Amino acid sequence: MGFSAWFSLLFAISLVLLPFSTSSSALSPKELAAISADFIDRAKKPELLDWMLGIRRKIHEHPELGYEEFETSRLIRYELDKMNVPYKYPIAVTGVVGFIGSGEPPFVALRADMDALPIEESVEWEHKSKIPGMMHACGHDAHVAMLLGAAKMLQERHHDLKGTVVLIFQPAEEGGGGAKKMVEAGVLENVDAVFGLHVTSDLPIGMAASRPGPMMAASGSFEAKIRGKGGHAAIPQHAIDPIIAASNIIISLQHLVSREADPLDSQVVTVAKIQGGDAFNVIPDSVTIAGTFRAFSDDSFNQLKDRIEEVIVKQASVQRCNATLSFRENEKPFYPVVVNDEGLHEYFLKVAGDGLGAQNIKGMSPLMGAEDFSFFRQVTRAYFFWVGMYDESKGKLERGHSPHFRINEDVLPYGAALHASLAVRYLLEHNPSESSTLKATPPHDDL
Ligand SMILES: *[C@@H]1O[C@H](CO)[C@@H](O)[C@H](O)[C@H]1NC(C)=O
Ligand SMILES: [Zn+2]
Ligand SMILES: [Zn+2]
């Protein structure tokens, strides 16, 4: 090995050992890129990987529904304690918010959701859910393990961080709007940007995908009770039939999207529940219907909401029935549209591309699914992305919310490394100069 080879080896080693120890102005694009690559390497080391696997499997065995993630939250706090990472708890019942770094601005946040689903697991494996009727079928167990993995890597070099990383472990993503409660608790105050990720089997392992602007739909649910007057099925003139009214309502609701919406403005109305009647020869007193509606702008969403109410109430009256409607906003808050910050998209392409290879960062079409990550955008710059886990050799992976859902655990290092590098490089690039007046801002502990 000649001198220049030795020199470049030493240079490479110094990058690995001190990947973010100098100020932003001193780091070249190449050095910044090395940070992303270094986190991938560190996250794949057996010691960290096995630790993340253990956490993910433990959480998988003990799934908990939204706002009931007590054991999951306890496990997170136990691990943060072991790492000497300070945190706030409880926030929004079970939420935990950790802090790594200087305690001073800038603040950049990383988010993981903790809740499971009311699904009975159908996968037979060593770490199958031990709680009947409950399962981590969306991958939030992996999200928690990834964020703890990132925390461990960040905490190992916390003195080098040019600001503060805020770790958000939130409850109740699946309908409960845990993110909204975290925002209301002030968790995002002073935070310049927040990143969130989701695992997906639609994308190969080692890849990530996202898009700038609107990515996931606004979502709401409704439930209506249609009241008529029960009676003998053979003597309809003495009854008021709510089944006919419900049928007409369901058909009329389908015209909202097909006849009133701009065909280029994606919307969905689905009636997913209908209940009424017990016998073939009795007209029931009432019928209950429930469903979901989705749209990609606040205007379209609000218009859909108003028209759903109008159609249900007025169509019921056509058949002499009365309808009462609830959007159940207390239990299931409307989720706004997930909109990715354009500037953060450019930043993501660069940071994730440096870690995974630019060819492994894909664009994507918007999805009609919803995510409560959208609430963060209302108070700060927010960015959401997908991390691939499909691997032909591991067999077919079902999509989320299936009782057959499986995680390809090889995805854990990618999620952890992307979290960590997005945070570290963000702080480097947004670090105010030493003389900055921002220094006068009180430490985050006071918040
Ligand atoms: C609907 O409400 C009106 C006004 O309260 C009432 O007079 C009528 O009986 C109700 N009809 C049904 C079918 O419940
Ligand atoms: Zn889900
Ligand atoms: Zn999910």
Side-chain angles (χ1 to χ4, degrees):
M1 203 183 282
F3 173 77
S4 67
W6 271 113
F7 181 78
S8 45
L9 180 64
L10 284 174
F11 180 69
I13 288 171
S14 72
L15 279 183
V16 170
L17 292 179
L18 296 165
F20 43 88
S21 61
T22 41
S23 79
S24 57
S25 53
L27 287 187
S28 67
K30 213 170 167 178
E31 290 168 316
L32 288 167
I35 293 174
S36 295
D38 174 54
F39 274 121
I40 299 271
D41 292 343
R42 284 169 67 192
K44 283 183 176 173
K45 291 235 160 68
E47 196 192 325
L48 188 71
L49 179 54
D50 291 347
W51 177 76
M52 283 194 285
L53 279 181
I55 288 169
R56 187 258 149 171
R57 290 170 178 178
K58 204 179 275 178
I59 297 173
H60 190 86
E61 287 178 6
H62 296 100
E64 297 171 300
L65 299 181
Y67 300 119
E68 294 170 7
E69 308 94 333
F70 296 104
E71 294 308 316
T72 309
S73 173
R74 191 196 309 274
L75 175 72
I76 291 164
R77 283 175 281 128
Y78 173 76
E79 295 297 344
L80 293 177
D81 280 333
K82 277 204 303 189
M83 287 181 227
N84 282 319
V85 169
Y87 55 81
K88 288 192 172 180
Y89 168 85
I91 300 176
V93 190
T94 55
V96 182
V97 177
F99 304 94
I100 302 180
S102 65
E104 310 222 351
F107 294 100
V108 64
L110 306 171
R111 172 270 209 165
D113 38 16
M114 308 188 288
D115 56 325
L117 287 158
I119 293 177
E120 176 84 27
E121 179 162 12
S122 297
V123 187
E124 294 302 331
W125 68 304
E126 201 187 334
H127 300 283
K128 182 178 174 173
S129 167
K130 290 185 171 154
I131 315 289
M134 282 187 214
M135 176 191 182
H136 269 286
C138 201
H140 300 183
D141 48 350
H143 298 168
V144 170
M146 288 164 166
L147 188 52
L148 283 172
K152 194 153 203 167
M153 292 192 285
L154 293 168
Q155 179 67 355
E156 277 167 12
R157 294 173 198 176
H158 65 277
H159 292 302
D160 296 328
L161 288 171
K162 303 295 180 192
T164 308
V165 182
V166 180
L167 310 165
I168 300 176
F169 296 92
Q170 73 148 78
E173 191 287 321
E174 302 285 3
K180 182 167 188 262
K181 290 212 161 65
M182 298 301 271
V183 168
E184 286 165 358
V187 164
L188 274 297
E189 271 167 33
N190 294 356
V191 167
D192 293 348
V194 56
F195 295 93
L197 62 74
H198 208 294
V199 294
T200 174
S201 54
D202 287 336
L203 202 65
I205 186 85
M207 290 192 181
S210 192
R211 62 178 282 114
M215 178 158 75
M216 295 177 81
S219 156
S221 63
F222 60 91
E223 184 166 272
K225 188 162 188 179
I226 298 138
R227 282 192 194 78
K229 183 165 163 269
H232 198 296
I235 314 170
Q237 71 273 28
H238 293 323
I240 299 176
D241 188 349
I243 288 192
I244 292 296
S247 307
N248 279 309
I249 287 169
I250 293 166
I251 299 298
S252 295
L253 287 174
Q254 290 313 303
H255 297 155
L256 296 182
V257 175
S258 73
R259 298 293 83 186
E260 296 183 23
D262 179 344
L264 295 177
D265 179 19
S266 305
Q267 302 180 22
V268 170
V269 177
T270 294
V271 174
K273 172 177 158 183
I274 171 162
Q275 278 173 348
D278 298 305
F280 75 95
N281 56 359
V282 178
I283 293 170
D285 268 329
S286 69
V287 172
T288 298
I289 62 169
T292 183
F293 60 107
R294 311 280 166 112
F296 264 98
S297 71
D298 291 342
D299 280 353
S300 300
F301 185 80
N302 290 328
Q303 191 187 339
L304 212 45
K305 171 179 177 272
D306 291 347
R307 285 290 289 146
I308 285 170
E309 177 154 21
E310 199 170 30
V311 164
I312 290 176
V313 171
K314 290 189 174 167
Q315 186 68 63
S317 76
V318 170
Q319 261 84 33
R320 298 177 295 150
C321 289
N322 289 345
T324 48
L325 181 75
S326 162
F327 290 101
R328 302 167 69 208
E329 274 191 271
N330 289 336
E331 305 151 62
K332 290 182 179 297
F334 295 148
Y335 284 10
V337 183
V338 174
V339 183
N340 274 341
D341 183 274
E342 311 264 342
L344 290 182
H345 180 65
E346 294 307 311
Y347 172 73
F348 173 78
L349 291 180
K350 187 174 61 177
V351 174
D354 286 341
L356 305 180
Q359 75 283 3
N360 289 323
I361 312 301
K362 303 293 181 193
M364 58 183 284
S365 303
L367 305 170
M368 291 314 297
E371 242 289 343
D372 76 350
F373 188 78
S374 52
F375 286 106
F376 296 133
R377 167 183 67 96
Q378 299 181 328
V379 287
T380 189
R381 301 168 79 205
Y383 193 80
F384 193 73
F385 59 97
W386 300 86
V387 185
M389 56 179 188
Y390 173 71
D391 180 346
E392 213 174 35
S393 69
K394 310 234 160 173
K396 185 174 190 294
L397 293 179
E398 294 292 333
R399 290 207 172 81
H401 296 212
S402 158
H404 302 281
F405 181 80
R406 287 185 300 131
I407 293 278
N408 171 8
E409 292 174 325
D410 295 345
V411 74
L412 296 176
Y414 293 105
L418 287 171
H419 265 320
S421 47
L422 284 165
V424 165
R425 291 180 62 177
Y426 190 89
L427 296 181
L428 279 171
E429 294 184 19
H430 295 82
N431 180 42
S433 66
E434 296 303 307
S435 61
S436 166
T437 50
L438 277 172
K439 281 269 174 195
T441 310
H444 207 253
D445 286 358
D446 298 348
L447 297 176

